[in-house]
Amino acid sequence: MRAPSQRPRRRHNPLRRRSDEVEAWVVVVVAVLLCVVVPLTGTVAGLFTYDRARTHAEEQRAERRPVRAVVAGRPASRPTVPGARGHGYRAEVRWTEPGRGTRTALGDVRAGTRAGDRVTVWFDRRGRIVAPPPNDVAVWQHTVATGLGVAGGTAAMVLLARAMERRVALRYRLAEWERAWERTGPSWTRRRA
């Protein structure tokens, strides 16, 4: 005696329409897209963003210089930059430059800074006070956010395309069933007089 095969066989089903088979293949394609392509696009976008963000941070570190200064005035009681966290407060800062003497300017300081505290102020090549260059944590945060955003956007596009395909398949299936009923219906129904 032969043992039954464990391999599933495709059996003919008279109720299965061509649109059902197409939709089954579309489900397989969507699953592959969601499991393979979506993470791959997020990873590629993240790697590309990491390279650019790291290069940008290195350029900023090269053109900006830190200066240790003392807070001379009282910092603003409210953030001067709306929605800023940490360095959104302005205060007068004083530092000494070799050959130029003591200088003062308005600089961004952390919340809770008081007069007399030492802070680091960043300057660009023109001598203007600027924000500190992004550190490695900020680069990675930007990288992960971009990668997740691209992966999420790709997944949303795949799911939207699946929803549109499903609507079209439903219309096609209903039209297919209607044609089949037009062929079969007259033999099932009789006119009653």
Side-chain angles (χ1 to χ4, degrees):
M1 278 187 68
R2 290 179 62 180
S5 173
Q6 297 296 325
R7 190 178 75 207
R9 285 185 284 177
R10 190 172 160 196
R11 297 180 184 161
H12 177 70
N13 184 347
L15 297 177
R16 180 182 288 165
R17 306 278 180 220
R18 187 169 189 275
S19 61
D20 296 330
E21 292 179 13
V22 169
E23 193 164 1
W25 280 107
V26 167
V27 167
V28 170
V29 169
V30 166
V32 168
L33 288 174
L34 288 176
C35 293
V36 176
V37 174
V38 166
L40 189 63
T41 57
T43 302
V44 168
L47 291 173
F48 178 75
T49 302
Y50 176 75
D51 286 341
R52 293 198 47 152
R54 192 185 70 215
T55 303
H56 182 69
E58 287 172 0
E59 288 172 358
Q60 284 189 352
R61 283 187 202 115
E63 71 179 25
R64 296 179 182 184
R65 63 184 173 90
V67 172
R68 293 293 292 167
V70 176
V71 177
R74 207 174 100 207
S77 59
R78 282 187 263 155
T80 52
V81 180
R85 293 183 182 169
H87 283 87
Y89 296 85
R90 290 255 172 178
E92 185 178 344
V93 293
R94 183 181 312 128
W95 70 98
T96 304
E97 281 191 22
R100 289 191 175 176
T102 303
R103 297 185 61 193
T104 60
L106 283 177
D108 294 332
V109 296
R110 291 186 178 273
T113 305
R114 294 183 220 151
D117 289 351
R118 290 196 156 278
V119 295
T120 302
V121 182
W122 289 83
F123 291 93
D124 64 3
R125 290 186 178 161
R126 295 181 187 169
R128 295 178 303 186
I129 294 181
V130 293
N135 58 10
D136 290 338
V137 173
V139 169
W140 275 107
Q141 285 174 341
H142 182 64
T143 299
V144 170
T146 301
L148 289 176
V150 168
T154 305
M157 287 181 0
V158 167
L159 294 175
L160 181 63
R162 166 68 174 135
M164 290 171 48
E165 178 276 331
R166 197 163 173 184
R167 268 188 107 156
V168 170
L170 180 61
R171 277 194 205 139
Y172 184 75
R173 185 179 305 119
L174 290 176
E176 206 173 28
W177 285 346
E178 187 67 33
R179 286 191 301 272
W181 181 250
E182 285 175 1
R183 289 189 307 267
T184 312
S187 64
W188 282 39
T189 58
R190 295 186 183 145
R191 294 188 183 230
R192 298 183 185 185

